[in-house]
């Protein structure tokens, strides 16, 4: 019980931290204000939290995603003005993303839910009906979305990008996982892998660890029953056992306070069966 209390405090501390900083919506609004002050004449529209559409006086348009800026801000909330100023100053580089020549080395996989796929897909179709999002289903709720992760921004891969790269979508998973493995050099487990633990990586790709099927084994997680994984948010991965009623109850308490999570994904648990994640 002492261990569970300590672990619960650790997870709730993570949620409290997320609540103390600006929510993605508020951060995006503040970022937009800074852009409009820095670049007079541009028109900025918030497409969704951490996604903005920019129109320049000459008619040029672009979409910019603020995921990296938000991650940097969460690491140093007191430095918000400097973080925003730094990324705003790089807008001219970001402006060239739509015409940039990306490489396969920049492709990363992110896990999203169905509603996210629909929202972003609709946004891209509004810009170009024939240039859709590149994604694949893990199950009826979870999807893998492929993105280009650059030093200044994250941009979703489109069907046109596939053509430009000259690759088939069927080969993206292996490439993206190789890239992800190269980036994630300090993955840790906090808690007890035999009862309840949290997977900690870089703050952006924790949920993507579901794609490394080989790590989800009883040697790594000697839990009671089957390994059950919860991904309430992009950066929160909780692991317990299907027969560990105490830990499952603890997780439900954590998920009940779901408003504490930025970038929410799912409140469901998942079990890996026959190389496919199914609902617990």
């Amino acid at each position: 019980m002492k261990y569970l209390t300590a672990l619960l405090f650790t997870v709730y501390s993570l949620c409290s931290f997320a609540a103390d900083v600006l929510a993605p919506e508020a951060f995006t609004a503040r970022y937009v204000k800074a852009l409009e002050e820095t670049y007079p004449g541009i028109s900025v529209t918030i497409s969704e939290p951490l996604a903005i559409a920019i129109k320049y006086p000459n008619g040029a348009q672009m979409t910019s995603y603020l995921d990296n800026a938000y991650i940097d801000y969460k690491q140093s909330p007191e430095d918000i003005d400097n973080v925003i100023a730094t990324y705003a100053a790089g807008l001219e580089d970001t402006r060239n993303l739509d015409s940039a020549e990306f490489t396969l080395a920049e492709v990363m996989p992110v896990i999203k839910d169905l509603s996210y796929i629909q929202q972003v897909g609709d946004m891209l179709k509004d810009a170009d009906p024939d240039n859709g999002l590149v994604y694949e289903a893990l199950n009826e709720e979870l999807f893998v979305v492929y993105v280009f992760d650059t030093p200044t921004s994250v941009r979703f891969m489109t069907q046109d990008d596939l053509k430009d790269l000259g690759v088939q979508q069927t080969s993206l998973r292996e490439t993206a996982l190789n890239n992800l493995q190269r980036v994630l050099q300090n993955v840790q487990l906090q808690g007890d892998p035999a009862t309840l633990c949290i997977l900690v990586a870089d703050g952006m790709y924790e949920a993507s660890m579901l794609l490394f099927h080989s790590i989800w084994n009883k040697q790594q997680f000697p839990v009671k029953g089957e390994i059950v994984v919860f991904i309430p948010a992009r950066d929160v991965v909780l692991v317990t056992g299907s027969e560990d009623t105490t830990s499952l109850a603890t997780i439900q308490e954590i998920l009940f306070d779901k408003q504490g999570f930025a970038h929410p994904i799912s409140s469901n648990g998942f079990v890996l069966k026959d190389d496919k994640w199914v609902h617990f």
Side-chain angles (χ1 to χ4, degrees):
M1 178 62 71
K2 181 178 180 181
Y3 159 73
L4 288 174
T5 302
L7 181 58
L8 181 59
F9 175 79
T10 299
V11 177
Y12 272 115
S13 294
L14 187 154
C15 297
S16 298
F17 173 75
D20 289 340
V21 304
L22 292 179
E25 294 84 353
F27 179 83
T28 303
R30 188 156 172 174
Y31 188 93
V32 167
K33 182 179 179 181
L35 281 187
E36 292 174 336
E37 292 175 351
T38 304
Y39 301 96
I42 68 171
S43 173
V44 185
T45 303
I46 299 177
S47 307
E48 60 177 290
L50 303 181
I52 58 177
I54 302 172
K55 186 174 183 179
Y56 292 86
N58 65 359
Q61 300 183 52
M62 64 166 286
T63 299
S64 181
Y65 299 94
L66 313 179
D67 296 77
N68 285 348
Y70 189 66
I71 289 173
D72 285 352
Y73 157 65
K74 287 200 300 180
Q75 292 174 346
S76 303
E78 70 281 359
D79 255 352
I80 181 171
D81 290 333
N82 289 333
V83 171
I84 289 179
T86 298
Y87 279 87
L91 181 61
E92 288 306 309
D93 292 333
T94 305
R95 180 180 180 178
N96 297 323
L97 280 178
D98 286 335
S99 59
E101 294 185 1
F102 294 104
T103 68
L104 286 175
E106 296 168 313
V107 177
M108 294 289 180
V110 293
I111 305 297
K112 298 295 184 181
D113 66 352
L114 178 59
S115 64
Y116 192 90
I117 293 294
Q118 292 171 336
Q119 291 172 5
V120 177
D122 289 343
M123 183 175 66
L124 290 177
K125 287 179 180 178
D126 287 342
D128 184 349
D130 297 323
N131 190 24
L133 193 66
V134 177
Y135 65 92
E136 60 187 66
L138 287 183
N139 54 37
E140 63 272 26
E141 182 181 5
L142 302 181
F143 295 79
V144 183
V145 176
Y146 293 100
V147 304
F148 294 112
D149 192 342
T150 76
T152 57
S153 184
V154 175
R155 181 168 82 73
F156 294 101
M157 177 181 285
T158 67
Q159 296 297 326
D160 281 352
D161 293 320
L162 278 180
K163 297 175 184 176
D164 292 340
L165 290 171
V167 298
Q168 298 294 320
Q169 183 169 338
T170 53
S171 68
L172 283 181
R173 175 79 71 89
E174 182 178 359
T175 298
L177 289 184
N178 288 335
N179 293 340
L180 184 60
Q181 190 169 15
R182 184 185 69 248
V183 171
L184 298 182
Q185 297 293 322
N186 191 30
V187 180
Q188 301 177 6
L189 293 177
Q190 295 180 0
D192 185 352
T195 54
L196 174 55
C197 66
I198 308 169
L199 189 152
V200 179
D202 68 340
M204 183 170 179
Y205 292 112
E206 275 82 355
S208 299
M209 296 296 290
L210 265 67
L211 302 177
F212 292 112
H213 289 182
S214 62
I215 71 172
W216 303 105
N217 58 70
K218 294 297 285 285
Q219 288 72 40
Q220 181 72 53
F221 302 97
V223 296
K224 297 178 181 177
E226 296 179 295
I227 299 169
V228 185
V229 183
F230 291 81
I231 49 171
R234 181 182 71 187
D235 58 347
V236 181
V237 177
L238 305 170
V239 187
T240 189
S242 61
E243 299 175 9
D244 190 336
T245 56
T246 301
S247 295
L248 287 170
T250 299
I251 289 177
Q252 290 306 310
E253 291 183 45
I254 296 169
L255 297 181
F256 184 75
D257 189 29
K258 193 177 179 181
Q259 67 271 17
F261 296 111
H263 302 286
I265 297 179
S266 173
S267 58
N268 293 313
F270 299 92
V271 177
L272 186 63
K273 291 186 176 181
D274 298 323
D275 273 342
K276 182 177 181 180
W277 288 100
V278 299
H279 282 104
F280 169 57

